[in-house]
Amino acid sequence: MSFFSFGQTAEIDIVLNDAETRKKVEHKTEDGKKDKYFLFYDGETVSGKVNVTLKNPGKRLEHQGIKIEFIGQIELYFDRGNHHEFVSLVKDLARPGEMAQSQTFDFEFTHVEKPYESYTGQNVKLRYFLRATISRRLNDVCKELDIVVHTLSTYPELNSSIKMEVGIEDCLHIEFEYNKSKYHLKDVIVGKIYFLLVRIKIKHMEIDIIKRETTGTGPNVYHENDTIAKYEIMDGAPVRGESIPIRLFLAGYEMTPTMRDINKKFSVRYYLNLVLIDEEERRYFKQQEITLWRKGDIVRKSMSHQAAIASQRFEGSLRAPKIDSKHDI
């Protein structure tokens, strides 16, 4: 980014110290495209350099101070004027004065708390970024560098199976079971469906994974449902006593960990939606919430010890969803 000051032009650039070795991951932008960003975890240090390059040698640049900030913020699309910051750290790089030549400033934010996962949704965006600012009397000049944060969890101690009976009186009675209630993002959902009573003509059955994004509070609550995956269980009429296995691989779908009441601004929850369609095109639904979590990879030698600690920061943060023993469709 450049600006003019009595004939002087300058550019700001932010460079991370470990830019050559740090892993990059794809992350969806607000316009639906994907870009690659440097990946960080909770507790990791963020350090680097701010390069201020003067374009016209011999001419001085007056400023009111130079600083860099590390910011974590939530932006609700229906309230774009307000940015809700949950992390805000500042380092002063230079006091007010003049610059006669290009300079490089070192910065370090040590063991930075990054409590939430980066997220871009239908109505909300949670982002982390560095922002370098040259303060000016008339116009501040800024340069931003976005990063992506992944939250890691350890294997949940309590991970009970889901067993439910659903039915329509004297017409349909189905019992279904999923092996777990909590799954990591590359897990496999394994289950079975038992037909105990079938007196309606079912022609199709599928399981959908539904992502539900909830933003706002009180009267200004918005819900967005997105079907992430469709898994066909059967095509044709089942008979009494039939058992159908389910095996759904999650690794091929784009999902985030379950996010509950993030900074009291939004939530992202996932549901298994059982869908039955009869020969008269009537549709029957049954939903069950599941919890998704991000499994920490084996820590590589090149990865700092901070990331290893981060993989255990959220142990115990997962809670088992309440399971009812019997429901009607």
Side-chain angles (χ1 to χ4, degrees):
M1 184 172 291
S2 63
F3 61 96
F4 297 92
S5 173
F6 303 106
Q8 181 57 280
T9 310
E11 289 187 352
I12 306 174
D13 192 27
I14 303 172
V15 180
L16 297 177
N17 282 341
D18 54 359
E20 293 185 359
T21 57
R22 180 165 290 276
K23 182 180 178 180
K24 282 188 171 185
V25 293
E26 285 189 342
H27 187 73
K28 188 172 71 172
T29 58
E30 198 173 323
D31 58 6
K33 297 179 182 179
K34 286 184 179 179
D35 286 330
K36 284 196 170 184
Y37 300 91
F38 290 110
L39 174 63
F40 282 83
Y41 299 99
D42 180 34
E44 280 196 288
T45 293
V46 181
S47 63
K49 293 176 173 57
V50 174
N51 299 320
V52 178
T53 305
L54 302 185
K55 291 300 184 181
N56 297 324
K59 293 186 178 180
R60 295 178 177 272
L61 176 71
E62 293 185 10
H63 62 84
Q64 305 303 310
I66 302 174
K67 66 180 179 180
I68 187 164
E69 301 165 273
F70 181 87
I71 296 172
Q73 73 177 23
I74 297 171
E75 179 183 347
L76 300 169
Y77 296 162
F78 57 81
D79 187 22
R80 286 187 178 271
N82 293 318
H83 293 159
H84 307 279
E85 295 184 357
F86 55 88
V87 176
S88 181
L89 305 173
V90 184
K91 298 281 187 183
D92 290 321
L93 302 178
R95 295 179 179 180
E98 292 183 343
M99 285 182 61
Q101 59 185 8
S102 301
Q103 280 186 257
T104 296
F105 304 93
D106 293 320
F107 70 88
E108 181 175 275
F109 295 100
T110 307
H111 305 311
V112 183
E113 182 182 1
K114 311 174 197 72
Y116 310 124
E117 174 126 351
S118 298
Y119 177 74
T120 303
Q122 299 288 330
N123 291 316
V124 63
K125 176 170 64 177
L126 188 154
R127 62 186 284 241
Y128 295 87
F129 60 96
L130 291 161
R131 180 168 61 202
T133 304
I134 298 179
S135 298
R136 304 275 295 151
R137 281 199 179 94
L138 297 177
N139 58 329
D140 290 350
V141 179
C142 301
K143 176 67 179 287
E144 294 182 355
L145 176 67
D146 279 79
I147 66 169
V148 164
V149 170
H150 282 175
T151 56
L152 302 180
S153 303
T154 54
Y155 192 87
E157 293 180 6
L158 297 175
N159 199 358
S160 55
S161 61
I162 300 173
K163 294 182 180 179
M164 297 178 66
E165 293 182 7
V166 297
I168 302 170
E169 189 174 358
D170 296 329
C171 294
L172 180 69
H173 188 187
I174 298 175
E175 184 178 277
F176 61 93
E177 178 180 356
Y178 303 118
N179 61 329
K180 295 183 287 190
S181 56
K182 302 169 185 174
Y183 299 89
H184 63 76
L185 296 181
K186 298 185 183 300
D187 216 335
V188 182
I189 296 176
V190 178
K192 279 188 178 181
I193 295 181
Y194 305 93
F195 292 89
L196 305 178
L197 176 64
V198 184
R199 288 181 178 169
I200 57 177
K201 294 182 178 179
I202 298 173
K203 71 171 187 178
H204 182 76
M205 178 183 275
E206 68 183 31
I207 284 183
D208 303 336
I209 300 178
I210 306 293
K211 182 179 85 168
R212 180 171 299 159
E213 177 187 291
T214 304
T215 53
T217 55
N220 299 317
V221 173
Y222 299 86
H223 299 285
E224 288 284 349
N225 288 344
D226 186 16
T227 301
I228 303 296
K230 287 181 177 288
Y231 176 78
E232 184 178 306
I233 299 172
M234 52 158 279
D235 189 10
V239 296
R240 181 179 178 180
E242 189 171 358
S243 172
I244 298 177
I246 299 168
R247 184 173 290 269
L248 177 56
F249 294 84
L250 300 180
Y253 303 105
E254 293 183 17
M255 294 186 289
T256 67
T258 295
M259 308 170 81
R260 293 193 176 97
D261 197 23
I262 300 300
N263 208 43
K264 299 182 179 179
K265 294 292 182 291
F266 73 97
S267 297
V268 179
R269 298 171 184 264
Y270 291 88
Y271 298 84
L272 290 177
N273 188 36
L274 181 66
V275 183
L276 289 79
I277 304 173
D278 67 15
E279 290 188 345
E280 297 180 12
E281 297 299 327
R282 289 177 297 198
R283 300 172 70 89
Y284 307 91
F285 303 90
K286 190 64 202 176
Q287 279 193 0
Q288 173 65 44
E289 183 177 1
I290 59 173
T291 299
L292 298 183
W293 54 284
R294 186 181 297 281
K295 186 177 182 180
D297 296 330
I298 297 174
V299 180
R300 301 183 302 274
K301 291 182 180 179
S302 59
M303 182 181 289
S304 66
H305 180 60
Q306 303 156 24
I309 297 173
S311 68
Q312 300 177 20
R313 286 285 285 265
F314 287 85
E315 184 175 7
S317 66
L318 301 172
R319 297 288 184 266
K322 184 178 179 182
I323 301 169
D324 296 326
S325 60
K326 189 169 183 177
H327 297 270
D328 292 331
I329 291 182

